């Protein structure tokens, strides 16, 4: 994933839901996803939070993040991210975004695959839908992919990187 730009606005053309607008302010800690065919989703980082450059929204600390979809607050729980792809998952209600390749992540609802998202961390998001996703599924998927990026290195690479960090 690339280092996020301070602010980006991207209009994605979704194959099922039309134009989806993604506004990501890495420095300000805000993300807004909206479109004619989906609910408005917002992710916000708390003021004063130390900003991590490798996370588009700036942090993975659930205590420092909030999320609303369609105006309703939802419980956002990103995992810490360390040695496995699964450790980079993000859970919110019945949804889970979990890396499954170097650049892609699966969106699941109650364990059922809805789509595979790709985002390089700069607000650009693409998706390959599976099954029959609804408008809320799209709102959650775009917001999570844009806020946290997608994909992760394989476990062997993450482990090697961690060991090399310990090497004097």
């Amino acid at each position: 994933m690339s280092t996020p730009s301070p602010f980006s606005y991207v209009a994605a053309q979704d194959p099922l839901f039309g134009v989806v607008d993604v506004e990501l302010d890495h420095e300000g800690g805000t993300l807004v996803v909206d479109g004619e065919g989906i609910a408005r989703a917002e992710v916000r980082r708390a003021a004063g939070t130390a900003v991590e450059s490798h996370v588009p929204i700036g942090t993975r600390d659930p205590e420092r993040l909030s999320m609303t979809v369609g105006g309703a607050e939802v419980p956002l729980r990103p995992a810490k991210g360390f040695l496995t792809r699964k450790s980079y998952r993000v859970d919110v209600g019945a949804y889970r975004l979990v890396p499954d390749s170097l650049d892609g992540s699966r969106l699941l609802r109650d364990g059922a695959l809805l789509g595979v998202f790709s985002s390089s961390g700069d607000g650009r998001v693409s998706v390959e839908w599976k099954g029959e996703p609804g408008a809320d599924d799209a709102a959650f998927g775009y917001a999570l992919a844009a806020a946290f990026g997608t994909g992760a290195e394989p476990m062997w690479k993450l482990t090697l990187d961690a060991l090399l960090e310990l090497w004097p």
Side-chain angles (χ1 to χ4, degrees):
M1 182 171 60
S2 64
T3 300
S5 61
F7 179 83
S8 65
Y9 167 80
V10 179
Q13 182 63 46
D14 186 276
L16 299 179
F17 301 99
V19 175
V20 176
D21 297 320
V22 179
E23 295 179 34
L24 173 63
D25 183 351
H26 176 73
E27 295 299 319
T30 61
L31 169 78
V32 177
V33 172
D34 204 0
E36 287 184 27
I38 68 170
R40 181 181 178 93
E42 298 182 26
V43 179
R44 298 194 179 280
R45 183 182 71 231
T49 302
V51 178
E52 299 173 33
S53 64
H54 62 282
V55 181
I57 195 65
T59 186
R60 294 184 67 85
D61 182 350
E63 300 299 317
R64 310 295 295 168
L65 292 166
S66 62
M67 183 176 186
T68 59
V69 176
E73 184 125 2
V74 292
L76 180 60
R77 297 179 313 276
K80 295 288 183 195
F82 186 55
L83 287 180
T84 65
R85 283 184 174 153
K86 188 176 179 180
S87 73
Y88 286 88
R89 73 190 176 281
V90 181
D91 293 322
V92 55
Y95 294 92
R96 172 173 279 181
L97 185 74
V98 61
D100 68 349
S101 67
L102 191 58
D103 60 356
S105 292
R106 293 174 287 141
L107 179 66
L108 309 167
R109 183 185 64 228
D110 293 324
L113 178 63
L114 296 171
V116 178
F117 282 79
S118 180
S119 177
S120 58
D122 60 0
R124 287 180 180 83
V125 178
S126 62
V127 61
E128 181 183 333
W129 292 113
K130 310 289 184 183
E132 297 180 24
D136 284 350
D137 301 330
F140 278 99
Y142 275 91
L144 295 177
F148 298 98
T150 58
E153 298 281 352
M155 184 175 170
W156 68 266
K157 175 79 167 71
L158 294 168
T159 304
L160 179 62
D161 289 346
L163 290 172
L164 291 174
E165 294 252 342
L166 297 173
W167 198 275

